[in-house]
Amino acid sequence: MTAHITPLIIGNWKTTPATLKDAITFIKNLDKKYTASKIKLPKKGYYLAVPEVFISEIVKCSVHGYIGAQNVSGISLGQTTGETIPSQLLSTGSTFTLISHSEVRKRGETGDERAHKVALSLQSKLLTILCVGEQTRDKQGNYLSIVEEDIKQSLSLVSKNLFSNLVIAYEPVWAIGGTTPATPHECFEVVIAIRRALSSLVGIDYAKKVKVIYGGTVTKENAHLFIQEGGVDGLLIGRASQTVSSFMEIINICHGT
């Protein structure tokens, strides 16, 4: 990550907290700590992917953050039950969405579904965070080709003019929730592969517009290492974003690096 880029710090609440009241209390406490920070922070310096049912109310009370969704469908307006389309997310005040988090893929999302999700999300002008990452690492380096092919398939329906609103989140599945996170070096080599895949799709000028972030057991102890040495433009944070103190610590660390 180059020094002049403001890091993207994206939290993923998953299925927490238990109630809307808890969610609002969290945001108010987070913003209070944000305002009191001794680090020079931008007016808005964090992103939170929250349960859809909370978005409209959290948007109203969040002062220093951007609020978004954890997933979106790749279908159009019509007669499908239980799905949310990009325009509906936008109407709630959502500014971004995650797409293809490893947990969503595990539930059966296909490559074709993924490609349509990304295309419709970007066409709707949502900041779109596409998650990619290998299940395991092999000594031959085949995982790099797997990630590159994933990116090419997922972006196969996207016009290059929309790449400026795209973020790639590298989340090595083997590191998520584990005791052994990826190292900044392991992250960096995949970032290079991601950049290579993007350049082969749309050329280096458009590829440069895409931010690449890291997600996979991010903690206050390793956050700065990924920012400094991992070649990324920010972080996708799971469990550590579900507690005000730990999330705020990481925000301070990343903006102070």
Side-chain angles (χ1 to χ4, degrees):
M1 189 187 84
T2 52
H4 68 280
I5 294 178
T6 300
L8 282 175
I9 310 302
I10 304 174
N12 180 11
W13 273 4
K14 304 190 180 185
T15 49
T16 70
T19 68
L20 175 58
K21 181 180 178 180
D22 291 338
I24 291 173
T25 298
F26 183 107
I27 292 296
K28 289 182 177 179
N29 289 338
L30 178 63
D31 278 345
K32 187 180 298 183
K33 285 183 177 293
Y34 193 100
T35 301
S37 175
K38 296 180 181 179
I39 303 295
K40 185 177 180 181
L41 299 172
K43 179 175 174 51
K44 289 196 172 187
Y46 65 82
Y47 294 70
L48 274 173
V50 308
E52 282 183 29
V53 293
F54 293 165
I55 291 175
S56 294
E57 292 303 316
I58 294 180
V59 165
K60 294 176 185 177
C61 65
S62 176
V63 176
H64 297 298
Y66 298 95
I67 307 303
Q70 299 168 14
N71 199 9
V72 70
S73 72
I75 60 176
S76 301
L77 184 69
Q79 306 304 313
T80 303
T81 301
E83 299 285 354
T84 302
I85 63 175
S87 63
Q88 292 167 341
L89 280 186
L90 283 167
S91 70
T92 68
S94 178
T95 58
F96 74 95
T97 184
L98 304 182
I99 288 181
S100 292
H101 187 279
S102 60
E103 293 169 1
V104 175
R105 292 178 182 234
K106 189 175 181 179
R107 293 196 293 268
E109 180 188 75
T110 67
D112 184 60
E113 288 172 336
R114 185 156 51 251
H116 281 90
K117 285 182 179 185
V118 175
L120 290 178
S121 179
L122 286 170
Q123 289 166 15
S124 298
K125 294 183 170 51
L126 277 171
L127 180 67
T128 302
I129 295 97
L130 169 66
C131 301
V132 301
E134 73 279 9
Q135 292 285 335
T136 59
R137 286 216 164 194
D138 59 276
K139 295 180 179 180
Q140 294 73 35
N142 293 325
Y143 58 89
L144 295 174
S145 297
I146 291 172
V147 171
E148 289 186 55
E149 288 306 312
D150 188 343
I151 288 173
K152 292 176 182 178
Q153 181 184 22
S154 299
L155 300 178
S156 60
L157 304 179
V158 178
S159 166
K160 63 184 180 181
N161 296 320
L162 300 176
F163 270 51
S164 59
N165 219 27
L166 172 68
V167 176
I168 303 292
Y170 169 52
E171 49 165 16
V173 178
W174 52 269
I176 297 174
T179 56
T180 305
T183 66
H185 174 75
E186 289 171 328
C187 175
F188 186 69
E189 68 172 348
V190 179
V191 170
I192 293 174
I194 290 171
R195 294 287 183 198
R196 183 166 58 233
L198 292 170
S199 295
S200 70
L201 270 176
V202 294
I204 191 169
D205 289 338
Y206 285 94
K208 285 180 178 178
K209 297 179 180 181
V210 179
K211 289 183 171 61
V212 180
I213 64 178
Y214 172 77
T217 315
V218 176
T219 66
K220 62 182 181 182
E221 286 78 21
N222 64 21
H224 71 287
L225 294 175
F226 286 106
I227 295 294
Q228 291 177 331
E229 304 172 16
V232 295
D233 303 302
L235 301 169
L236 175 60
I237 305 159
R239 294 180 188 179
S241 72
Q242 297 165 15
T243 303
V244 171
S245 58
S246 59
F247 192 41
M248 193 63 228
E249 281 185 279
I250 292 175
I251 291 171
N252 280 328
I253 287 167
C254 292
H255 282 282
T257 298

